[in-house]
Amino acid sequence: MAENTEHLALWGGRFTSGPSPELARLSKSTQFDWRLADDDIAGSRAHARALGRAGLLTDDELSRMEAALDELQRRVDSGAFAPIEDDEDEATALERGLLEIAGDELGGKLRAGRSRNDQIACLIRMWLRRHARVIAGELIGLVNALIAQSEKAGHTVMPGRTHMQHAQPVLLAHQLMAHAWPLMRDIKRLIDWDKRINASPYGSGALAGNTLGLDPEAVAHELGFSKVTDNSIDGTAARDLVAEFAFIAAMTGVDISRLSEEIIIWNTQEFAFVKLDDAYSTGSSIMPQKKNPDIAELARGKSGRLIGDLTGLLATLKGLPTAYARDLQEDKEAVFDQVDTLEVLLPAFTGMVRTMHFDADRLEAEAPTGFALATDIAEWLVKNGVPFRHAHELSGACVKIAEGRGQELWDLTDADFADVFADFLPADKAPKVREVLSSRGSVNSRNGKGGTAFGRVREQIVDAKAEVEELKLFASSTSDGPAYKAPETL
Ligand code: ARG
């Protein structure tokens, strides 16, 4: 056991024995936190320069330290240096690596004025800010695929549903764009979150700040943050920002899951609204005829784990006293899992959406069925002076007749309409209701802002494209470059 003490030198001093093997195994986090190594080394470079400016490293020491960190980065990149069994976490491993290169004397100076508590709090911020941009980029790809499908859909009308029942005809483009807007909001949430997480905890030390006269502002700027956290306890302990990211990732999963569910239903034999491209669907090992929407199903399934990552993290945070506690180590796997999940899911999902093929004839044929034009009858009556309360009843009476005969509304005779509307309209006027008994007429009459009329849908596509151009600026900004400034309108 004692031999472990040497490796765990970050805190070995006051202990007479090393940790038990059971503790070492429990404590270990390199299996997941090694992916923070590059950010850790970037932090070490900035910290070394802060030590230099504070007079705690001479110019010569600083340049040797920087050279050693460069060499460490090279070894990490090539895989020549990696954590070993006894390294507790990525910081322990990298300190060992630095001591190997720079020697104990020089290497041992870097730890002054920082703690793994402020380090790790800073690293998770750096890592998440970078991946938020990757995810935003992937989401933009998906939004663009939805926009392209909407443009291709043109005037195609489909059944719009509420409670999954035929409600009113809508443009296919309108239905597809209804999935684009929430995804754009997810990107905007990331942009907004980035403003809050854009503060460096470096210099907070273990919890109370540091005594060495270091300049945390300079470190913050070197690491791409606009400012330093305002309170060192909060800086080391706050994980609300990690949880907020986890919410956005979970919400993104839910938004994709809802679209998935729609695609899965549309893709059934009974609906037959959409066909998936062979390259984005799978077969069955036993049933040769099968073509399955696995990408949509995996997206729906993975949204469950994205939610689980969020709730697990919130449960970890609940009840923690405010300053660093080891529980906080649990923040990382939750968001790493979310990022890995989204980064592998989104490209496949976008490919499926981009290549799916709608059966326009079938959508058009189904659009007006199931008495989906009943509201149009009621509104036509209103336009002809009938109070809506009665109009609703009269239209309902038409539905009742048609339903009783196993017909659709347009199958009613002129005499039927004249009969039903007799108390309100002259007999020769009543059959004119046929003007609105088409799904195209129905759709185009819904021409208020945000409605499903063709012109309004064109308008929303133009607006969405303009917004995407803005969102792209965030996705292509670097988290360690000048801060992305979102316009007020976003
Ligand atoms: N590995 C820890 C984490 O991820 C950081 C180390 C802080 N450990 C400590 N004993 N203060 O949160």
Side-chain angles (χ1 to χ4, degrees):
M1 270 198 246
E3 67 189 15
N4 279 345
T5 317
E6 203 185 310
H7 296 301
L8 291 167
L10 292 188
W11 49 268
R14 59 102 72 208
F15 287 80
T16 45
S17 78
S20 69
E22 303 91 307
L23 165 59
R25 260 180 65 209
L26 171 66
S27 194
K28 193 173 172 56
S29 58
T30 52
Q31 68 280 18
F32 58 83
D33 67 18
W34 186 239
R35 58 169 88 196
L36 298 174
D38 293 349
D39 292 314
D40 188 313
I41 295 172
S44 289
R45 276 205 195 88
H47 182 66
R49 288 192 273 266
L51 288 171
R53 280 189 299 271
L56 298 167
L57 287 179
T58 65
D59 288 351
D60 173 58
E61 284 173 328
L62 177 58
S63 59
R64 283 192 290 130
M65 185 75 85
E66 287 181 319
L69 288 167
D70 288 346
E71 175 58 19
L72 181 58
Q73 181 72 65
R74 274 193 292 276
R75 292 185 190 182
V76 168
D77 289 345
S78 71
F81 181 82
I84 56 170
E85 195 48 38
D86 288 339
D87 291 327
E88 183 186 295
D89 59 10
E90 54 77 34
T92 318
L94 289 171
E95 165 128 339
R96 179 174 60 76
L98 182 68
L99 296 182
E100 275 168 29
I101 298 165
D104 290 0
E105 265 316 291
L106 177 63
K109 290 194 167 191
L110 190 64
R111 227 201 301 157
R114 73 176 183 185
S115 152
R116 280 185 296 163
N117 297 355
D118 61 350
Q119 247 178 294
I120 199 74
C122 192
L123 302 188
I124 191 68
R125 288 178 187 227
M126 291 165 72
W127 192 89
L128 283 176
R129 293 187 71 208
R130 197 162 57 246
H131 285 276
R133 285 155 172 80
V134 175
I135 290 171
E138 291 296 341
L139 282 172
I140 288 169
L142 175 53
V143 168
N144 280 335
L146 285 166
I147 291 176
Q149 285 283 8
S150 303
E151 289 186 312
K152 196 167 145 206
H155 288 273
T156 303
V157 183
M158 70 181 291
R161 292 164 190 270
T162 59
H163 312 268
M164 270 303 271
Q165 309 294 312
H166 277 218
Q168 294 168 348
V170 293
L171 284 190
L172 169 60
H174 199 48
Q175 183 75 28
L176 292 173
M177 288 305 293
H179 289 285
W181 292 105
L183 294 168
M184 285 190 276
R185 285 197 294 278
D186 290 326
I187 303 172
K188 288 191 257 184
R189 286 187 183 99
L190 287 173
I191 293 174
D192 197 56
W193 159 89
D194 191 63
K195 287 184 222 156
R196 280 183 287 286
I197 200 162
N198 184 4
S200 165
Y202 236 100
S204 297
L207 81 163
N210 73 81
T211 59
L212 300 178
L214 302 179
D215 177 7
E217 303 278 348
V219 174
H221 292 143
E222 277 192 49
L223 299 180
F225 293 99
S226 315
K227 60 173 223 160
V228 175
T229 49
D230 294 296
N231 177 310
S232 60
I233 302 175
D234 182 50
T236 51
R239 294 295 185 275
D240 57 306
L241 296 160
V242 179
E244 188 178 351
F245 175 89
F247 167 75
I248 301 169
M251 192 66 238
T252 302
V254 170
D255 289 333
I256 289 168
S257 182
R258 296 179 70 205
L259 174 53
S260 298
E261 177 64 5
E262 208 128 73
I263 291 171
I264 290 164
I265 292 172
W266 291 345
N267 188 235
T268 57
Q269 185 176 328
E270 288 72 17
F271 272 74
F273 285 176
V274 76
K275 276 204 170 61
L276 300 183
D277 190 88
D278 279 359
Y280 293 94
S281 33
T282 52
S284 156
S285 53
I286 177 164
M287 297 165 282
Q289 86 284 10
K290 286 300 278 298
K291 200 171 138 186
N292 297 327
D294 280 27
I295 294 178
E297 290 170 332
L298 284 167
R300 194 175 54 184
K302 284 177 189 296
S303 70
R305 89 188 260 164
L306 290 165
I307 295 167
D309 288 327
L310 167 65
T311 55
L313 175 57
L314 288 173
T316 296
L317 299 181
K318 177 184 173 301
L320 284 192
T322 297
Y324 183 85
R326 194 63 186 279
D327 315 47
L328 292 175
Q329 178 165 299
E330 296 291 314
D331 66 344
K332 283 174 278 302
E333 278 171 294
V335 283
F336 289 167
D337 183 64
Q338 288 185 314
V339 167
D340 290 346
T341 299
L342 286 174
E343 288 183 4
V344 74
L345 175 61
L346 286 169
F349 194 83
T350 300
M352 174 188 66
V353 169
R354 187 169 36 81
T355 55
M356 62 191 182
H357 182 81
F358 286 95
D359 184 338
D361 292 341
R362 214 176 127 61
L363 290 164
E364 294 262 347
E366 285 298 314
T369 64
F371 316 115
L373 301 172
T375 320
D376 297 272
I377 294 184
E379 288 175 353
W380 179 83
L381 288 165
V382 167
K383 283 184 201 149
N384 284 282
V386 181
F388 188 77
R389 193 167 69 85
H390 298 297
H392 188 281
E393 274 166 18
L394 298 181
S395 175
C398 295
V399 170
K400 199 168 175 193
I401 296 171
E403 194 170 35
R405 295 182 191 154
Q407 293 179 329
E408 285 289 346
L409 288 168
W410 53 85
D411 297 320
L412 298 195
T413 63
D414 291 358
D416 291 332
F417 287 123
D419 204 31
V420 176
F421 303 161
D423 288 349
F424 298 91
L425 295 180
D428 61 327
K429 177 83 189 166
K432 294 214 160 33
V433 71
R434 291 189 196 288
E435 288 163 15
V436 298
L437 286 182
S438 83
S439 29
R440 187 133 308 161
S442 166
V443 157
N444 282 330
S445 66
R446 298 206 152 65
N447 58 5
K449 165 85 181 157
T452 195
F454 182 76
R456 289 302 191 176
V457 174
R458 282 291 332 147
E459 182 180 81
Q460 65 167 296
I461 290 175
V462 169
D463 290 349
K465 282 178 162 179
E467 234 175 59
V468 163
E469 286 311 306
E470 186 55 47
L471 300 176
K472 272 189 196 161
L473 298 179
F474 171 72
S476 61
S477 68
T478 48
S479 53
D480 55 1
Y484 166 76
K485 274 247 174 305
E488 285 296 313
T489 47
L490 210 61

